[in-house]
C-alpha cells in the first residue's frame, strides 16, 4: 500500500514481535530515506498495529484481507496486478 504495510508472519522462537517490527522499521527507513532523499527524522509511525492470529480460519481471513487491500483501495483491478504484493510475485 502507498501509505502503510501489511505483514502476516510467525515470529521465530525467542524473538518478540516488537523486536522484529523495530528491526524492519530501522532497516527500511534508512534505505527509503536514502533512496527518496529524505532528511533525518521519523519515517514510520511510532506504533504498529498488531493482532495475534488464533487459528487457521482467522489466518486465512487476514491473508485474504491483505491480498485484496489494493483492490479495495482501487489501486488495481486484481490482487496480482499490484506489483508490491506477494500476489504479483506469484503471477509474474
Amino acid at each position: 500500500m502507498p501509505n502503510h504495510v501489511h505483514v502476516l508472519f510467525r515470529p521465530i522462537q525467542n524473538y518478540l514481535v516488537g523486536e522484529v517490527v523495530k528491526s524492519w522499521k530501522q532497516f527500511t527507513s534508512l534505505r527509503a530515506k536514502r533512496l527518496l532523499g529524505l532528511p533525518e527524522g521519523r519515517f514510520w509511525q511510532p506504533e504498529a498495529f498488531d493482532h495475534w492470529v488464533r487459528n487457521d480460519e482467522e489466518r486465512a481471513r487476514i491473508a485474504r484481507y491483505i491480498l485484496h487491500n489494493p483492490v479495495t483501495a482501487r489501486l488495481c483491478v486484481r490482487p496480482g496486478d499490484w506489483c508490491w504484493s506477494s500476489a504479483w510475485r506469484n503471477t509474474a
Side-chain angles (χ1 to χ4, degrees):
M1 300 302 294
N3 62 351
H4 65 280
V5 176
H6 292 281
V7 180
L8 181 60
F9 74 100
R10 178 182 294 168
I12 299 171
Q13 188 175 357
N14 299 324
Y15 285 87
L16 299 174
V17 170
E19 292 173 353
V20 173
V21 172
K22 180 180 178 181
S23 174
W24 288 344
K25 284 183 170 185
Q26 287 174 334
F27 181 87
T28 57
S29 66
L30 288 172
R31 280 147 187 85
K33 286 188 279 189
R34 192 178 311 140
L35 179 70
L36 298 170
L38 298 175
E40 290 294 318
R42 186 167 53 180
F43 183 79
W44 292 104
Q45 291 291 325
E47 183 64 35
F49 175 78
D50 57 8
H51 177 81
W52 288 98
V53 178
R54 290 170 174 78
N55 55 48
D56 288 339
E57 181 180 308
E58 189 172 18
R59 184 198 56 77
R61 180 186 60 77
I62 293 168
R64 280 191 305 275
Y65 172 83
I66 292 170
L67 183 69
H68 291 278
N69 201 229
V71 177
T72 303
R74 297 186 177 150
L75 298 169
C76 60
V77 176
R78 298 180 318 258
D81 294 340
W82 187 244
C83 69
W84 305 107
S85 167
S86 58
W88 182 79
R89 190 174 55 229
N90 291 330
T91 60

